[in-house]
Amino acid sequence: MAAETVITVIGNLTADPELRTTGQGTQVAGFTIASTPRNWNRQTNQYEDGAALFLRCSAWRDLATHCARSLSKGMRVIAQGRLQQRSYQARDGSNRTVIELQVDEIGPSLRYATAQVSRTGHRQEGGIYGDPASQPPVANTGPGGWSQQPRQAASQQPNQDMQEPTDDPWGQPAAEPDF
């Protein structure tokens, strides 16, 4: 792993992630991230777009399912992973080489949007994480592909409505590490 090239890409999804299952039963999600650099031109006093990078990405196993359920076309994402080069022979007989990002981590960019995160279950027997089918569907239908949740009205007295949510998975104190 030390020789692998790890990169972080910020951009927009060009289409909804496509979820497939391999012959061995492993799930993989394929999608493309378009990243366009934008620079300020002092002479024209305008932003100018540079050449777009369209990077093909793949996410495997539980991450594939999470991508397919949570991400949709147009969403701005931050993805980190390893560049992988592979060669294959096309149907016309020509040899081709592609570079893809094998995604290790991905999430929505919160620069221009908000997101609501829900945690999946812990590892169960058989090495399978919580059943994604039991998770409520995520609606990404608002402006920019995000669901916009209305803000709660602020109460007149500070902290009056502040109560610990009982279903907050991160609300529990972390266990002390054994050193």
Side-chain angles (χ1 to χ4, degrees):
M1 278 215 199
E4 293 177 331
T5 305
V6 177
I7 66 167
T8 301
V9 176
I10 302 171
N12 296 55
L13 295 182
T14 62
D16 291 344
E18 183 181 312
L19 187 63
R20 298 182 319 269
T21 304
T22 66
Q24 292 80 25
T26 305
Q27 291 191 316
V28 60
F31 50 92
T32 300
I33 298 176
S35 179
T36 306
R38 196 161 215 222
N39 299 310
W40 180 257
N41 185 329
R42 289 182 181 173
Q43 295 172 349
T44 63
N45 284 336
Q46 294 182 22
Y47 279 103
E48 294 178 353
D49 289 340
L53 167 70
F54 292 89
L55 186 59
R56 192 70 189 146
C57 303
S58 61
W60 293 82
R61 297 174 185 78
D62 289 336
L63 182 57
T65 305
H66 298 165
C67 287
R69 292 178 50 90
S70 304
L71 304 176
S72 61
K73 178 181 179 177
M75 282 187 168
R76 186 170 176 86
V77 295
I78 303 169
Q80 184 178 43
R82 295 163 280 133
L83 283 181
Q84 305 264 309
Q85 177 177 317
R86 62 182 177 86
S87 299
Y88 65 96
Q89 190 170 32
R91 291 182 184 175
D92 63 2
S94 63
N95 293 327
R96 304 238 174 121
T97 301
V98 294
I99 296 177
E100 295 178 328
L101 181 67
Q102 187 170 339
V103 176
D104 294 323
E105 299 283 341
I106 189 168
S109 170
L110 300 180
R111 186 170 189 173
Y112 305 114
T114 61
Q116 187 172 1
V117 178
S118 61
R119 192 174 195 179
T120 60
H122 295 284
R123 187 175 282 272
Q124 297 175 347
E125 286 185 29
I128 299 172
Y129 284 96
D131 181 14
S134 67
Q135 298 295 324
V138 178
N140 296 318
T141 57
W146 299 98
S147 60
Q148 301 294 321
Q149 300 293 329
R151 289 185 174 225
Q152 295 180 358
S155 65
Q156 299 294 3
Q157 295 183 359
N159 299 331
Q160 176 182 353
D161 296 328
M162 298 297 288
Q163 295 178 0
E164 287 272 62
T166 57
D167 61 346
D168 182 7
W170 290 281
Q172 304 299 323
E176 291 293 321
D178 296 343
F179 292 111

